[in-house]
Every structure is written in structure tokens, then in C-alpha cells.
Amino acid sequence: QVQLVESGGGQVQAGGSLRLSCAASGRILVIYTMGWYRQVPGKQRELVATITRDGGTNYSDSVKGRFTISRDNSKNTVYLQMNSLKPEDTAVYYCNTDRIKSYTGTNVFDRWGQGTQVTVSS
């Protein structure tokens, strides 16, 4: 089965940086769009950034100019470089894939990782 495993979360002071990684495993042939979302208690999960297989990116206005999403298709991995972090960036960050095509020809839609906590102190 396809699994997404995030890493790289932690605690950092405001103005600092963190780099998140998310590796997909399983019988993967193609991963289409990959993305990062975040959620704080009591609020809905929100989009942070997405990246298509060809490298097209999309960012939420709140992170533009500070965060950079990238991917390595050979490693089935997506990254999120977070710079100039602010206390309001504190959240659980989740990796997502919209569609994964397996070697068997089946498709897995809307797969999520388990989440990684990012805490930014002032």
C-alpha cells in the first residue's frame, strides 16, 4: 500500500528555518500533484503549497516569499523549505498527494501523511 511519511518538524524561534520532507513508498509508478497543508486545533486544514509533477507551484498568500516547495520525482519525495518563520506558522503540517498511479495500474486518490508538528516561538 502507498504510505506518506513526513519528517523535519520541530521547534524553532521566530525568524528561523525548518525543512520538511515527505517520502512516498509503495508500488508507485507516478505521483501527480504533491502538497503541504497545515492545521491548528479548532480550525480547518488549510493549503500551504502544492507542486505538480512538472514543477508548477502554488502557494497560499500567507507563505509566499518565505516558503519554497520542491520535489524529487526519482525519490518520490516532496520538500517544504520554510524560512522567516512566524509564530502564526505553528501547526501540524500534512503531506498530501492528489493521485498516485501504481505499477498495477490502479490509482490511489487523496493520500495523507500522519503529520509533523511545527512550533515557532516568539
Side-chain angles (χ1 to χ4, degrees):
Q1 297 297 325
V2 173
Q3 286 189 318
L4 303 180
V5 178
E6 298 110 332
S7 61
Q11 187 165 355
V12 65
Q13 288 191 327
S17 299
L18 283 173
R19 188 189 193 213
L20 305 183
S21 300
C22 172
S25 63
R27 303 184 68 184
I28 297 169
L29 181 61
V30 177
I31 303 177
Y32 293 89
T33 298
M34 305 182 81
W36 290 96
Y37 293 73
R38 65 188 182 187
Q39 189 170 23
V40 297
K43 292 190 176 181
Q44 287 190 332
R45 194 170 296 186
E46 65 173 7
L47 169 72
V48 176
T50 61
I51 184 167
T52 66
R53 179 165 179 80
D54 295 331
T57 59
N58 179 52
Y59 296 91
S60 71
D61 288 342
S62 62
V63 307
K64 275 181 184 176
R66 300 188 297 122
F67 291 11
T68 302
I69 189 170
S70 61
R71 65 188 285 172
D72 184 337
N73 290 333
S74 67
K75 296 180 180 179
N76 293 328
T77 300
V78 62
Y79 306 95
L80 185 69
Q81 178 66 45
M82 305 185 292
N83 298 329
S84 302
L85 282 160
K86 304 175 181 179
E88 50 263 44
D89 293 319
T90 296
V92 177
Y93 284 70
Y94 295 91
C95 174
N96 172 268
T97 58
D98 70 338
R99 177 188 170 198
I100 297 175
K101 187 173 184 179
S102 73
Y103 282 105
T104 63
T106 59
N107 290 291
V108 176
F109 296 97
D110 201 28
R111 180 71 73 181
W112 293 90
Q114 81 286 355
T116 185
Q117 177 71 46
V118 171
T119 302
V120 185
S121 57
S122 57

